[in-house]
Amino acid sequence: MDKEKLDELKIQLQQLLNEAQEFVQQIPPAQLCTAVGVVLFTVFLFTVMYYLLKHRSANTILLTGLSGSGKTVLFYQLRDGSCHQGSVTSTKPNEGRFLLHSEANKLQKGKMKHVHVVDVPGHSRLLAKLDEFLSRAAGIVFVVDSVEFLPHLRIASEYLYDILTNASVVKRKTPLLLLCNKIDRVTAHSMDFIRRQLEKEMTVLSSADTSDEHTLGVVGEAFAFSQCHNKVTTAEASGLTGDIYHLEQFISECVKP
Amino acid sequence: MLEQLLIFTRGGLILWTCKELGNALRGSPIDTLIRSCLLEERSGSASYNYDAPGASYTLKWTFHNDLGLVFVAVYQRILHLLYVDDLLSVVKKEFSEIYDLKRTSYNDFDDIFQQLKKEAEARAEEMKKSKQVGKSMNNNLARKLGNVLNGNMDGGNKKKSGGEPGNDRDSGNFKGRPLENGNISNNHIGKGEETMMVKNNGKENGISNTGAFDVNKLQKLRSKGGKKTETVSNKVSKEEPKKITKKNRVWDDSPKEAKLDFTDPGSENGEQHIAVVAADQGESMMDKEEIVSSDSESESEEEETSKNNKVDGKKKGWFSSMFQSIAGKANLENSDLEPALKALKDRLMTKNVAEEIAEKLCESVASSLEGKRLASFTRISSTVQAAMEDALTRILTPRRSIDILRDVHAAKEQGKPYVVVFVGVNGVGKSTNLAKVAYWLQQHNVNVMMAACDTFRSGAVEQLRTHARRLQIPIFEKGYEKDPAIVAKEAIQEASRNGSDVVLVDTAGRMQDNEPLMRALSKLIYVNSPDLVLFVGEALVGNDAVDQLSKFNQKLGDLSPSPDPRLIDGILLTKFDTIDDKVGAALSMVYISGAPVMFVGCGQSYTDLKKLNVKSIVKTLLK
């Protein structure tokens, strides 16, 4: 049944082709040239616009970190100013292009820029998703749980190490913000403690690193975040209470230029 | 009663919880469900059990794949609620009508939910009643039987002097007990009989009138069995002193032969005789980066497979399927997914994935694709393929760090040696790969020591000794017929004395069904508490991989005397060079045990050890 249909179609197509060929040969050459020229021009225009758009959308901010550090809550704080009814472990990234909630309330005279924020799940099985977004990021926020910090210290430092040695991050010198979340809790560690512990772990990691890709820090010296080529800053925040001033500042700095 | 019903997005935001059932859940069942079930590609199973101190819940779920929503119901495990599945599906339907991408609070859903819950409960009650009508016949029969037996019992009691009041009480309780369903009442009858029997035993009356089993007889049988074993052991002990050594049989008049022992007398001083092979055979393949070729060939292959699918699958007609793929409006139904999934399952099985695992994976992918809207210009088969690729990448990505060097460093800082135990069935390549791992660690300036705890197989200790000599690392051995657990313990003590960073413990191969050997293994692990239990499995194994790993894990868990048993921490896949592209064993093993593949052995020389490349395996599996 299908074969017969295919044969019929083939005959029909051939007839159409013949007709088209005759038709084309009938048109005077000038018209043909202008038609082709117009087509080429529109194609050119589209490619130019596409590249412009791509460049413009390099205002992506990535929220990364381990599972349970509070990225989804921060995402919704940025977007809506409240964390609604709470969150569970994410299995898919949350993407949104919006005005920061705090800025939307203010009356601003100038144009406000929309920010494209992506919340990448931190579960170790979903590590592959991070690579898709790293190449497009204008700024990376590494969220750390200040309360449950020490038990996850090793995994967190390995994750951070992988981000900092990623090829596109090194090439584009993406700024990174180390955000210590959940400081509203009493047992939260301080910002400096967290930074120092991470630096210590990264020293060991960079000395044990066997791959040929980019390594961090200076060989022989203890690692410090100031040695990175891209700017690494630390800040504190609390997703639940909405204390995200430093985070918003970082975002506006990354997105502006 | 339902404990909680949650609706949340796949991105993690909770959209709605039932406010009436406001009991706070103990522990974190939802997060555990996501981590241990949904992210582990087990979303095709019917329910999930969660145990927390003080509570034990059962969770059931359903997805709305088009909108990316997850609906989860939590209830106490002891209540076997029948209406949960029904309730979840009606909640899904109703909620998807009021769902809006921008909205984040759905307080008006409370009333709708209450109504739906009442309806679902009512429907379940009706179903129960209709079932009970059928079962009440069984109940009546059972009751009659119970009465007959009771009558006999009472008769028997009255014969003796001073029938215990306890017995009458028992029979009274017995009749009055509510009979829920036929099965349970039968059990009660059986138990009631037994207690009666036991109570009457003391009087030593022949109660065998009732014809049921007699505890007296059972006890006699048991004592008989005991006597039998005693006689057997006596015979054995009598035989031992009579042992006669075998004399060589002499044919004709040939002269007596010399001793048939050809072992080299100088083997103990082998270091002088045997040339020491240079330890430097090049860089171990663990440290070489694998280059994954970009998938430019995948397009043409997809077309070929799709052609096959069109011929095999439903003959919908060329026009309608093309039209649908362009318009992309179709909501995926199970019937649409079936042919594509079946083709995928067959393809996975030809790649040596165990049948059970392929089945579960396909179910999980089906549950995550059902109801989803097809994007335009995509075929069903390509959507299914993409979803399966995602799922496979997720499973094969390790859940925890597999960087052993980092762990060794950490153990070094603490001042104790890092202990690795190699377990597995017979003949998978434990000793060979142990040597490869030792070589690799040596290249990273780690002091390694081997422990020969295979005290059963002839030549095992010599094998390790040869490897140790070639690699020039110390070996701890105690010969044969010793308790492996004790040998391992002493080896670890020796290692901490002579400053070794890593101890690699070789054990004897054992079948997963062999109970005494598995007990010995769990004793070894319990006594020595190693840092890493590495299961060595060969890539040639087929469906048996599932059995091996699940039995090993189960036995290690059950037979361990500690309340927190050590299970398999990692997998070492061997003989990878013997399979061309039938790499499915890796997937089966990782899926069934949850442990990551830490090493892959791909040859018989010291450098043939590499890391598992997830992307290339997934590509090979789906080719």
Side-chain angles (χ1 to χ4, degrees):
Chain A
M1 265 291 284
D2 279 339
K3 235 188 168 181
E4 287 176 5
K5 269 191 182 170
L6 277 170
D7 288 339
E8 276 179 20
L9 280 164
K10 273 187 198 163
I11 298 170
Q12 278 183 6
L13 274 172
Q14 279 197 338
Q15 281 179 349
L16 278 171
L17 271 173
N18 290 338
E19 281 178 28
Q21 269 183 347
E22 284 175 12
F23 180 71
V24 165
Q25 279 164 4
Q26 280 176 12
I27 305 173
Q31 279 190 11
L32 200 62
C33 285
T34 43
V36 169
V38 166
V39 167
L40 282 173
F41 180 67
T42 37
V43 166
F44 174 69
L45 205 64
F46 272 124
T47 43
V48 164
M49 280 180 64
Y50 172 70
Y51 274 116
L52 276 177
L53 278 172
K54 208 176 166 188
H55 179 72
R56 192 181 297 172
S57 75
N59 59 350
T60 310
I61 302 287
L62 270 191
L63 285 173
T64 67
L66 289 185
S67 188
S69 48
K71 302 177 289 295
T72 310
V73 166
L74 282 172
F75 177 82
Y76 282 102
Q77 281 282 359
L78 284 173
R79 195 183 86 162
D80 304 325
S82 96
C83 57
H84 305 292
Q85 302 184 37
S87 63
V88 291
T89 310
S90 317
T91 43
K92 285 217 167 81
N94 286 313
E95 274 188 68
R97 182 180 295 272
F98 46 78
L99 286 171
L100 292 179
H101 182 78
S102 52
E103 281 183 20
N105 291 339
K106 293 186 209 152
L107 299 164
Q108 280 217 351
K109 291 167 194 161
K111 258 196 207 172
M112 287 177 294
K113 237 189 158 180
H114 281 255
V115 172
H116 183 224
V117 182
V118 180
D119 156 35
V120 180
H123 197 262
S124 35
R125 296 258 190 208
L126 300 166
L127 214 54
K129 295 222 189 265
L130 181 62
D131 295 323
E132 295 170 25
F133 295 105
L134 269 181
S135 47
R136 294 193 275 149
I140 304 177
V141 181
F142 189 79
V143 185
V144 171
D145 184 347
S146 319
V147 179
E148 295 277 328
F149 174 62
L150 287 175
H152 305 302
L153 174 60
R154 260 197 58 195
I155 316 174
S157 47
E158 276 177 23
Y159 200 55
L160 183 59
Y161 186 80
D162 285 333
I163 294 179
L164 284 174
T165 51
N166 184 285
S168 32
V169 169
V170 172
K171 199 174 72 175
R172 299 175 51 176
K173 300 208 169 101
T174 344
L176 186 124
L177 173 70
L178 193 61
L179 194 66
C180 307
N181 199 12
K182 307 192 190 176
I183 47 155
D184 52 306
R185 303 261 198 98
V186 178
T187 48
H189 295 281
S190 73
M191 197 166 75
D192 294 318
F193 176 75
I194 291 177
R195 197 186 63 230
R196 267 182 287 124
Q197 289 292 325
L198 279 174
E199 283 178 350
K200 252 203 291 183
E201 279 293 314
M202 309 270 276
T203 323
V204 182
L205 274 175
S206 54
S207 61
D209 189 12
T210 51
S211 61
D212 295 323
E213 286 185 36
H214 320 265
T215 47
L216 279 184
V218 181
V219 178
E221 273 181 31
F223 173 77
F225 283 121
S226 44
Q227 292 171 359
C228 296
H229 295 293
N230 44 347
K231 195 170 128 209
V232 178
T233 42
T234 23
E236 290 184 336
S238 166
L240 277 182
T241 58
D243 175 19
I244 47 172
Y245 174 66
H246 298 281
L247 173 64
E248 288 171 346
Q249 275 217 310
F250 174 77
I251 293 179
S252 20
E253 274 172 37
C254 287
V255 166
K256 251 179 217 152
Chain B
M1 278 298 292
L2 264 186
E3 291 281 329
Q4 189 56 269
L5 193 133
L6 273 155
I7 305 179
F8 54 92
T9 64
R10 285 223 192 236
L13 182 71
I14 298 180
L15 289 174
W16 184 83
T17 63
C18 181
K19 282 175 197 63
E20 252 205 18
L21 321 162
N23 329 334
L25 296 171
R26 307 244 180 97
S28 50
I30 310 286
D31 274 333
T32 318
L33 171 75
I34 298 178
R35 278 166 220 241
S36 337
C37 195
L38 304 185
L39 279 173
E40 302 282 322
E41 296 309 311
R42 289 170 211 263
S43 32
S45 46
S47 67
Y48 178 75
N49 290 332
Y50 175 72
D51 284 304
S56 58
Y57 301 116
T58 303
L59 292 103
K60 287 204 176 175
W61 62 91
T62 180
F63 304 115
H64 193 296
N65 294 309
D66 202 18
L67 303 171
L69 299 172
V70 186
F71 302 80
V72 177
V74 187
Y75 57 94
Q76 300 268 3
R77 195 176 318 159
I78 44 178
L79 312 164
H80 294 278
L81 297 177
L82 302 164
Y83 60 85
V84 180
D85 289 311
D86 190 25
L87 180 63
L88 278 174
S89 46
V90 289
V91 164
K92 176 166 92 173
K93 214 172 56 138
E94 289 293 329
F95 192 81
S96 37
E97 283 165 26
I98 68 169
Y99 176 68
D100 181 23
L101 208 61
K102 299 288 175 193
R103 262 179 76 181
T104 47
S105 67
Y106 294 85
N107 293 324
D108 49 340
F109 194 67
D110 290 339
D111 305 321
I112 308 177
F113 174 69
Q114 289 303 322
Q115 197 188 342
L116 289 173
K117 195 163 109 123
K118 282 188 198 139
E119 285 172 13
E121 278 173 353
R123 272 199 294 270
E125 282 294 319
E126 278 177 38
M127 290 248 304
K128 238 203 241 176
K129 278 181 195 158
S130 61
K131 266 192 200 164
Q132 277 208 342
V133 168
K135 278 198 176 160
S136 59
M137 293 291 295
N138 286 349
N139 279 357
N140 283 337
L141 281 172
R143 237 180 260 171
K144 279 185 192 164
L145 271 176
N147 282 341
V148 164
L149 290 167
N150 268 342
N152 277 345
M153 297 308 287
D154 288 345
N157 286 344
K158 277 174 193 158
K159 276 187 200 165
K160 296 168 231 136
S161 55
E164 293 174 29
N167 276 343
D168 291 337
R169 211 191 331 126
D170 240 15
S171 52
N173 277 346
F174 194 56
K175 283 179 197 165
R177 218 172 281 172
L179 296 165
E180 283 174 2
N181 62 27
N183 289 341
I184 298 178
S185 60
N186 280 335
N187 281 343
H188 284 320
I189 292 172
K191 271 191 195 155
E193 260 189 66
E194 281 175 46
T195 50
M196 299 273 203
M197 290 290 199
V198 165
K199 281 195 180 165
N200 293 331
N201 244 351
K203 320 243 167 147
E204 289 199 10
N205 231 327
I207 309 184
S208 37
N209 325 355
T210 50
F213 89 104
D214 195 350
V215 180
N216 276 342
K217 260 194 196 165
L218 188 66
Q219 283 187 346
K220 280 185 197 160
L221 278 172
R222 261 194 224 138
S223 55
K224 266 193 208 164
K227 281 184 200 159
K228 262 193 194 159
T229 51
E230 278 178 37
T231 49
V232 166
S233 57
N234 281 338
K235 276 187 197 162
V236 167
S237 53
K238 276 182 202 163
E239 270 187 15
E240 269 184 28
K242 283 188 197 169
K243 226 182 201 176
I244 312 166
T245 52
K246 246 176 118 173
K247 279 199 192 136
N248 249 346
R249 212 176 263 206
V250 180
W251 307 97
D252 311 326
D253 286 319
S254 52
K256 212 173 164 189
E257 284 159 352
K259 259 175 63 178
L260 291 171
D261 185 4
F262 294 117
T263 54
D264 189 356
S267 60
E268 263 74 68
N269 309 329
E271 285 181 39
Q272 298 160 357
H273 294 268
I274 302 173
V276 173
V277 176
D280 194 15
Q281 291 191 2
E283 208 189 336
S284 177
M285 275 168 69
M286 279 286 286
D287 304 323
K288 292 195 188 136
E289 288 289 320
E290 256 194 60
I291 308 163
V292 182
S293 63
S294 57
D295 41 12
S296 52
E297 317 140 15
S298 57
E299 296 258 347
S300 54
E301 287 163 20
E302 249 191 76
E303 283 178 26
E304 283 180 40
T305 51
S306 66
K307 275 186 200 157
N308 291 340
N309 277 343
K310 275 187 194 163
V311 169
D312 296 337
K314 277 192 262 184
K315 293 198 173 166
K316 255 173 147 181
W318 196 67
F319 278 119
S320 52
S321 60
M322 281 305 284
F323 179 70
Q324 261 192 1
S325 76
I326 292 176
K329 269 196 227 159
N331 260 354
L332 283 173
E333 296 289 318
N334 259 342
S335 48
D336 300 330
L337 293 171
E338 246 185 65
L341 277 176
K342 187 162 180 324
L344 254 183
K345 183 184 162 194
D346 288 334
R347 210 188 311 172
L348 282 179
M349 280 172 64
T350 58
K351 292 279 163 49
N352 201 23
V353 179
E355 197 259 330
E356 231 180 272
I357 308 294
E359 181 71 43
K360 282 199 205 156
L361 265 176
C362 288
E363 274 175 28
S364 173
V365 169
S367 75
S368 75
L369 279 182
E370 198 190 326
K372 202 168 182 178
R373 198 159 303 186
L374 270 179
S376 39
F377 290 106
T378 49
R379 291 180 294 243
I380 296 180
S381 55
S382 48
T383 320
V384 172
Q385 178 118 339
M388 180 60 96
E389 204 176 305
D390 240 358
L392 289 176
T393 316
R394 262 205 298 266
I395 299 180
L396 288 171
T397 310
R399 204 174 12 187
R400 54 183 199 84
S401 150
I402 54 172
D403 191 1
I404 296 204
L405 292 171
R406 185 72 199 82
D407 289 328
V408 170
H409 267 286
K412 206 172 175 175
E413 278 165 30
Q414 287 185 353
K416 54 187 186 87
Y418 187 80
V419 182
V420 183
V421 178
F422 289 73
V423 305
V425 302
N426 313 67
V428 290
K430 290 183 288 296
S431 308
T432 313
N433 285 280
L434 189 150
K436 288 187 212 166
V437 171
Y439 179 72
W440 171 68
L441 285 172
Q442 238 195 348
Q443 290 208 312
H444 286 273
N445 305 321
V446 176
N447 292 329
V448 189
M449 189 172 109
M450 293 187 186
C453 295
D454 183 353
T455 55
F456 173 70
R457 202 196 78 200
S458 316
V461 179
E462 275 80 11
Q463 186 182 7
L464 273 189
R465 207 187 290 158
T466 313
H467 282 305
R469 212 179 302 139
R470 291 174 88 187
L471 295 174
Q472 296 185 319
I473 56 182
I475 174 170
F476 185 86
E477 48 170 328
K478 281 277 182 207
Y480 296 98
E481 306 283 325
K482 302 284 187 306
D483 186 4
I486 301 187
V487 178
K489 195 166 185 178
E490 292 175 10
I492 297 172
Q493 286 168 353
E494 174 74 27
S496 42
R497 264 202 301 266
N498 70 11
S500 298
D501 305 321
V502 179
V503 181
L504 301 174
V505 178
D506 187 24
T507 61
R510 60 204 75 211
M511 291 301 290
Q512 65 269 21
D513 297 322
N514 195 326
E515 175 95 15
L517 289 182
M518 293 307 295
R519 201 179 290 272
L521 181 65
S522 78
K523 179 182 158 206
L524 191 152
I525 290 178
Y526 170 67
V527 166
N528 298 301
S529 54
D531 296 290
L532 183 66
V533 177
L534 211 54
F535 178 83
V536 183
E538 56 184 7
L540 297 158
V541 75
N543 285 323
D544 199 34
V546 174
D547 197 50
Q548 279 179 19
L549 265 166
S550 53
K551 286 239 177 79
F552 258 84
N553 260 336
Q554 188 197 339
K555 293 283 164 66
L556 284 179
D558 290 343
L559 302 175
S560 169
S562 87
D564 191 17
R566 291 295 306 279
L567 297 176
I568 290 174
D569 297 319
I571 297 177
L572 198 162
L573 204 55
T574 64
K575 308 186 188 168
F576 211 68
D577 52 323
T578 57
I579 50 170
D580 280 328
D581 56 345
K582 305 219 183 303
V583 295
L587 181 67
S588 320
M589 289 196 204
V590 173
Y591 187 88
I592 199 77
S593 67
V597 174
M598 306 189 96
F599 302 102
V600 175
C602 46
Q604 299 203 41
S605 63
Y606 289 121
T607 56
D608 292 322
L609 190 73
K610 55 181 184 172
K611 284 195 254 241
L612 187 77
N613 190 322
V614 177
K615 286 200 192 113
S616 79
I617 297 267
V618 173
K619 213 162 69 106
T620 318
L621 277 173
L622 292 174
K623 225 185 321 178

